[in-house]
Amino acid sequence: MLNLTAEFKARTAELPGLFRDVFTASEGEDEGRAVGALAADLLNTTPEDDLLGVLAVDRDVLAGCILFSRLHYDLDPRQVFLMSPVAVRTDRQKSGIGQKLIGFGLEKLRLQGVDFVVTYGDPVYYGKTGFQPITETVARPPMPLSMPQGWIGQSLSGDQTPIEGPSRCVSAFNRPELW
Ligand SMILES: CC(C)(COP(=O)(O)OP(=O)(O)OC[C@H]1O[C@@H](n2cnc3c(N)ncnc32)[C@H](O)[C@@H]1OP(=O)(O)O)[C@@H](O)C(=O)NCCC(=O)NCCS
């Protein structure tokens, strides 16, 4: 039975390996290594208040994971999080786990008072869980985007007004090549 949980800390040691394996299978070895390293960096360097991990676990086997980290908009009172990276174990993909896990993570963030969530990915897939293309005037990315069409987001509070001012990501994302 699939269990969704935000108790990610107990399994921190396993998470970079999940991201590495999933992205190696889908995008090749270099990308796998890079996303595994990004996950390790996020888990090791992000202040507790600025990071949420959600897991899908099936009979103690890790089936999926999403990390959410804070985007600081110093000129806007709203709380904004970035959803990245997202991975479902290769042999468990396309059975609904990804969408369930995204929905679970968004609800956790909403209950924590988070107002807006952005991600950088395929608008078709993430559109299934409420993400819509946004422009840089709706929420300014922390760095220039190489694929602006992948900048997508959704309000969790109903407030659709643009987020004010520039943004800062957590240090693990502070690398232009990730954007
Ligand atoms: C992308 C990913 C998270 C989706 O999770 P999943 O559990 O396989 O997806 P779900 O079963 O919830 O959703 C399946 C649906 O999304 C579609 N879908 C799955 N992966 C997709 C992709 N990469 N692009 C577009 N559509 C995709 C399927 O066709 C299916 O459509 P349907 O509901 O109309 O049948 C997962 O496949 C994965 O980890 N992929 C490799 C890593 C990756 O690309 N991560 C995202 C970038 S950070």
Side-chain angles (χ1 to χ4, degrees), residues 22-23 26-27 85-88 92-100 122 125-126 128:
V22 169
F23 279 84
S26 70
E27 320 273 332
V86 179
V88 171
R92 302 296 307 272
Q93 289 174 4
K94 300 200 191 283
S95 63
I97 295 175
Q99 288 172 67
K100 284 189 196 126
D122 182 344
Y125 178 67
Y126 292 109
K128 294 173 195 287

